[in-house]
Amino acid sequence: MNVLEIRNLTKKFGDFIAVDNMNLSVREGEIFGFLGANGAGKSTTINMISSLLRISKGEIQLLGRDIVKENKFAKMNIGIVPQDLAIYEEMSAYENVSFFAGLYGLRGSLLKERTEEALEFVGLGDKHKALPKSFSGGMKRRLNIACAIAHRPKLIIMDEPTVGIDPQSRNYILNSVKKLNQMGCSVIYTSHYMEEVEEICTRIAIVDHGKIIAEGTKEQLKSIITDTKETWIGVRNPERLDLDALKRISGVNSVRLEEQTVKIVSRGEINNLNWVIQQLIGDQVEISSVEEQAPNLETVFLTLTGRNLRD
Amino acid sequence: MNNMMWIVRRLLRTTFRKKSSWIVYFGLPVAAILLSMLIYGSASGGSLHVGVLNQDGGKTLTQDTIHFVEGLNNVKITMTDEASMNKDIASGKLDSGLIFEQGFADSVRDGEPARLRLVSAKGAEVTAYVKALLNGYLGNVAAIGQATKSDAEAFDAIYADYKQSSFKLESESLKDTAKYKDMTYQSIGFLLMFLLFSAVNMSELILKEREDRTFLRLLSSPLSARGFVLANVLVAFIIQVLQIVVTLLILKYAIGIDSGVPLRDLLGTLLLFSPVAISLGLLITAFSKNRRGASALQTLIITPTCLLAGCFFPAEIMPDTVQKISSFLPQHWLLDTITKLQDGQAIGSLGLNLAILIAFAAVFTLVAIYRFSRNNDVRQFI
């Protein structure tokens, strides 16, 4: 069964079409990765799912019920973890979770129980009396999650939940997402960190210019680009590189420089490594390493959108 | 409704948890009352200080007139010389100066009192009382002079008889209610300003939610945007009611100022101003992108309009043009209502004033709703 079903969804801001006739489904019990560069239409879609924006055209169904017609039902069953922290600094961790859970109708002992449960879940049980201003970035992110789960939603939307935090907190959050999923929650997960998406998502959709341009499991997405390969060449003096000359080499789809590594995506059937190296030597570039990369989501994204996820 | 009350509870709890809120919402209006007391309390003291300059020597009639003035209720006299008198009147130490010029006693004896001058820098407000009583006293003595013509012995005999004759006179000092009315007007003027500021401050909480992004989470919950705004309005109203009640109770019972208006009428009128203040707060919020913008608008709108409407000093002392402009300000209509109530008009007869206040609230609210509804942006609310 699909938890979420999006049909022909469109959102216009004046003449600008932010989401263009989008179709998408999220199945019950899956962690669904939603990838797109900045301005691709992800946040607009998420805002429409969470009823923060009006739909221009199309429909969204949650558990088979229209979210516009049955808005309260939809809101009761969705939990939002916004990218920006949405907590009250002047209220304790307990008060924050309890207040937001109260908006879903929880009261009395049930409210207390669910609040404590959510705080325990994100590892802040012993910090329940503390004010968020005394928390680290990671702890605030965890509190941000606790505020979204205390009412036990069926679908949790997490928008960049690990931005700007230390690796330990990041791992904690990723494990929490997996645990929530095991407890029966479906999750929509957006992130700029491709490795996170690869690690936890069961299915992924790539959105670009307001449209879904690819959708499937990691393996299905990678299979889309078996006709391309990526070569990483380490260089010691990147200032001597002539990227335009490299792009003109036969079979090269794209070239980008990341610190001291040139990343070249080429057509799979063409062996152009000799010409690439010849060009580099001609430009007096010192080569430190050459690696042929297996296809990954980063490559898939780059190939399909022509942009890096962090663009 | 439940969610709305949940928000109201949170807002009240977090607002009153801060000490600064207590100072802003209650401390400042009380400070304003004390300021009014300072202004009006010193403006009209209990006694009239009269400096007496005697250039007519020790003549009986002159001395008797001085004793007469000295014996008046609420008048204190100080014998002085010409230079000191002018200096003390200018500096405010003396309210007025009474100059008995040479020949005063003789002029009275001749039946035509002259050579007596009453001078003051404060005008008729302070001279009228002494002047009226002196006229009465000297009129009687002069009548003796006229009747006896140039017969000095007859004058002295009748005058001595007049001085010894006793008649019953009861005098009573009336309470100066004008002073209390002025204090009430001034205190309410300041209170209006604080009500407006507190309404905008409360509306700014909406902007704070927007800036802190908590509104995203709030609006993705079953709480509606309308419910969210109404909850903020309700909190602003509760705080305003508390501010008004506390101020009026302190004014009446702690300080003992009689406003000249029944407490119930005063309370009702001020409560009617509360929706005006709150709707103005919403209007400012609707036109502001952030709290900084709202603060700038708040300063730009509230302080000058309060000044023009007469919140800081009575509107009558302002030029006619300014008084006409103030008719377009809600504060003017509230202060006008209070003044008319103090003048003894019944609240039922002030329907037009009250209707104008309601109209201001309605127009502000409608414009704010229109402005909110034009937003198609998740950073906005409705």
Side-chain angles (χ1 to χ4, degrees):
Chain A
M1 187 193 174
N2 289 335
V3 175
L4 187 76
E5 186 84 43
I6 293 176
R7 292 194 203 112
N8 306 320
L9 186 67
T10 301
K11 179 66 193 178
K12 288 182 183 174
F13 294 102
D15 292 334
F16 176 70
I17 302 174
V19 176
D20 189 5
N21 217 28
M22 185 184 284
N23 288 286
L24 187 74
S25 57
V26 178
R27 293 171 201 152
E28 198 169 352
E30 71 180 358
I31 303 175
F32 188 85
F34 201 46
L35 298 181
N38 289 332
K42 313 191 288 285
S43 294
T44 307
T45 308
I46 287 172
N47 285 333
M48 284 191 281
I49 297 170
S50 41
S51 306
L52 294 172
L53 268 181
R54 289 192 199 108
I55 296 168
S56 302
K57 214 180 85 186
E59 64 173 330
I60 302 174
Q61 287 196 342
L62 184 83
L63 297 163
R65 293 157 81 165
D66 189 285
I67 67 153
V68 178
K69 289 178 190 151
E70 297 189 56
N71 192 246
K72 192 175 176 191
F73 169 82
K75 285 180 162 186
M76 290 295 284
N77 285 289
I78 292 177
I80 306 280
V81 181
Q83 180 178 350
D84 298 305
L85 291 169
I87 50 177
Y88 295 106
E89 295 281 342
E90 69 278 16
M91 286 162 60
S92 70
Y94 184 93
E95 286 172 328
N96 264 289
V97 178
S98 168
F99 168 69
F100 286 114
L103 292 172
Y104 293 85
L106 301 180
R107 295 286 188 276
S109 56
L110 184 63
L111 175 65
K112 187 171 179 283
E113 184 189 310
R114 295 279 180 84
T115 302
E116 286 168 354
E117 181 186 287
L119 284 168
E120 284 298 333
F121 183 81
V122 296
L124 293 174
D126 56 336
K127 299 274 182 193
H128 67 281
K129 282 185 182 167
L131 294 177
K133 60 184 169 194
S134 65
F135 286 0
S136 67
M139 287 160 84
K140 284 182 183 176
R141 289 265 158 210
R142 277 144 61 187
L143 179 59
N144 203 30
I145 292 175
C147 291
I149 62 172
H151 63 287
R152 291 191 184 167
K154 294 273 189 298
L155 175 67
I156 299 173
I157 301 172
M158 295 185 152
D159 193 4
E160 307 270 1
T162 57
V163 166
I165 58 172
D166 58 282
Q168 200 184 347
S169 291
R170 193 172 173 182
N171 284 337
Y172 196 101
I173 288 175
L174 292 180
N175 287 332
S176 303
V177 176
K178 286 181 200 165
K179 240 161 59 180
L180 279 169
N181 184 240
Q182 283 157 11
M183 287 158 65
C185 285
S186 306
V187 180
I188 295 178
Y189 192 91
T190 80
S191 175
H192 273 121
Y193 302 109
M194 204 60 94
E195 60 278 15
E196 283 182 7
V197 177
E198 281 210 70
E199 184 187 335
I200 64 167
C201 293
T202 40
R203 274 198 323 131
I204 296 155
I206 295 175
V207 59
D208 195 33
H209 298 296
K211 288 182 174 174
I212 302 287
I213 54 170
E215 185 185 343
T217 61
K218 283 170 277 190
E219 289 69 31
Q220 284 169 334
L221 289 178
K222 284 175 191 170
S223 70
I224 297 172
I225 56 156
T226 46
D227 57 340
T228 62
K229 61 185 176 191
E230 185 166 358
T231 309
W232 291 7
I233 302 172
V235 293
R236 289 202 175 91
N237 49 349
E239 68 281 358
R240 295 205 62 86
L241 279 170
D242 182 352
L243 295 179
D244 289 333
L246 289 172
K247 280 177 194 166
R248 284 195 295 271
I249 292 171
S250 170
V252 171
N253 286 348
S254 66
V255 178
R256 65 188 194 281
L257 176 68
E258 284 180 13
E259 293 176 359
Q260 291 199 313
T261 307
V262 192
K263 297 182 174 181
I264 303 170
V265 178
S266 305
R267 290 213 301 277
E269 76 276 11
I270 291 180
N271 188 356
N272 53 9
L273 186 58
N274 285 347
W275 298 334
V276 169
I277 289 173
Q278 227 168 24
Q279 176 67 41
L280 293 175
I281 290 168
D283 291 338
Q284 295 181 316
V285 175
E286 280 183 57
I287 298 169
S288 58
S289 63
V290 177
E291 274 180 77
E292 192 95 347
Q293 294 293 311
N296 58 27
L297 276 182
E298 191 91 44
T299 329
V300 174
F301 190 86
L302 184 69
T303 309
L304 292 176
T305 66
R307 293 191 276 177
N308 268 319
L309 191 56
R310 289 180 187 83
D311 283 350
Chain B
M1 189 66 183
N2 273 347
N3 274 347
M4 222 175 85
M5 296 317 292
W6 192 247
I7 301 269
V8 168
R9 225 177 78 167
R10 184 195 81 78
L11 285 173
L12 285 176
R13 193 186 295 168
T14 49
T15 300
F16 288 113
R17 196 180 274 177
K18 283 185 280 186
K19 281 180 193 157
S20 59
S21 300
W22 290 89
I23 295 169
V24 170
Y25 295 130
F26 303 113
L28 289 180
V30 171
I33 297 175
L34 297 176
L35 183 67
S36 308
M37 282 181 66
L38 206 69
I39 295 169
Y40 289 97
S42 62
S44 49
S47 299
L48 206 58
H49 293 272
V50 180
V52 175
L53 174 61
N54 185 3
Q55 296 171 335
D56 200 29
K59 291 182 178 165
T60 314
L61 268 177
T62 307
Q63 290 302 324
D64 286 350
T65 309
I66 292 169
H67 287 311
F68 171 77
V69 175
E70 194 176 14
L72 291 175
N73 274 347
N74 302 319
V75 173
K76 278 186 186 168
I77 66 159
T78 311
M79 298 309 292
T80 183
D81 57 63
E82 192 167 3
S84 305
M85 176 186 274
N86 291 335
K87 204 173 83 183
D88 290 347
I89 288 176
S91 68
K93 277 187 190 168
L94 291 175
D95 294 306
S96 63
L98 192 60
I99 305 164
F100 294 89
E101 292 174 351
Q102 194 173 7
F104 162 75
D106 294 339
S107 70
V108 177
R109 191 181 274 270
D110 293 343
E112 285 175 4
R115 301 184 175 278
L116 175 67
R117 285 191 292 132
L118 188 59
V119 293
S120 171
K122 294 179 181 173
E125 192 185 331
V126 297
T127 57
Y129 171 62
V130 174
K131 201 173 180 177
L133 291 169
L134 262 179
N135 279 342
Y137 173 75
L138 292 176
N140 289 341
V141 182
I144 299 169
Q146 274 173 0
T148 55
K149 302 276 184 211
S150 51
D151 187 347
E153 276 183 25
F155 178 87
D156 289 340
I158 297 172
Y159 180 65
D161 199 36
Y162 168 72
K163 277 207 299 185
Q164 282 170 7
S165 63
S166 63
F167 47 90
K168 195 180 175 188
L169 176 72
E170 280 183 18
S171 72
E172 200 170 305
S173 293
L174 295 174
K175 203 171 164 187
D176 183 6
T177 56
K179 186 173 86 175
Y180 290 135
K181 283 181 181 175
D182 288 343
M183 276 187 194
T184 307
Y185 178 94
Q186 195 69 79
S187 303
I188 286 175
F190 283 125
L191 177 64
L192 293 191
M193 186 182 69
F194 291 126
L195 287 178
L196 287 168
F197 274 120
S198 76
V200 180
N201 285 345
M202 288 312 295
S203 298
E204 277 183 22
L205 289 181
I206 295 177
L207 293 170
K208 186 177 183 301
E209 299 268 14
R210 189 192 293 175
E211 285 169 20
D212 293 351
R213 315 298 285 175
T214 41
F215 84 101
L216 280 177
R217 201 190 279 291
L218 288 173
L219 296 195
S220 63
S221 80
L223 175 74
S224 67
R226 197 172 293 117
F228 173 66
V229 174
L230 279 176
N232 278 273
V233 167
L234 189 57
V235 170
F237 186 68
I238 292 170
I239 290 176
Q240 299 233 315
V241 170
L242 291 173
Q243 275 186 288
I244 293 168
V245 169
V246 166
T247 308
L248 292 185
L249 290 181
I250 288 178
L251 203 64
K252 188 170 172 67
Y253 296 109
I255 299 173
I257 294 174
D258 178 11
S259 64
V261 181
L263 192 61
R264 194 191 55 200
D265 290 356
L266 201 55
L267 186 66
T269 312
L270 284 169
L271 286 182
L272 202 60
F273 186 76
S274 179
V276 179
I278 293 168
S279 56
L280 180 67
L282 282 180
L283 192 64
I284 289 175
T285 302
F287 280 92
S288 307
K289 279 202 179 303
N290 50 40
R291 276 189 291 169
R292 195 187 295 173
S295 295
L297 265 182
Q298 169 181 275
T299 314
L300 210 66
I301 291 171
I302 297 177
T303 314
T305 55
C306 282
L307 189 78
L308 288 175
C311 290
F312 305 141
F313 41 78
E316 302 92 70
I317 67 166
M318 290 190 278
D320 279 352
T321 323
V322 177
Q323 287 190 41
K324 278 176 189 155
I325 292 171
S326 73
S327 302
F328 294 95
L329 303 170
Q331 299 99 308
H332 162 83
W333 293 100
L334 193 278
L335 290 170
D336 187 57
T337 308
I338 303 285
T339 309
K340 284 177 176 161
L341 286 172
Q342 285 182 325
D343 289 345
Q345 292 193 35
I347 195 154
S349 66
L350 297 171
L352 179 67
N353 280 30
L354 304 181
I356 289 171
L357 284 174
I358 293 169
F360 269 113
V363 170
F364 290 161
T365 308
L366 288 174
V367 177
I369 289 173
Y370 175 77
R371 175 69 185 173
F372 276 133
S373 64
R374 299 290 295 168
N375 293 321
N376 187 19
D377 182 344
V378 284
R379 284 169 298 175
Q380 305 291 340
F381 296 96
I382 300 175

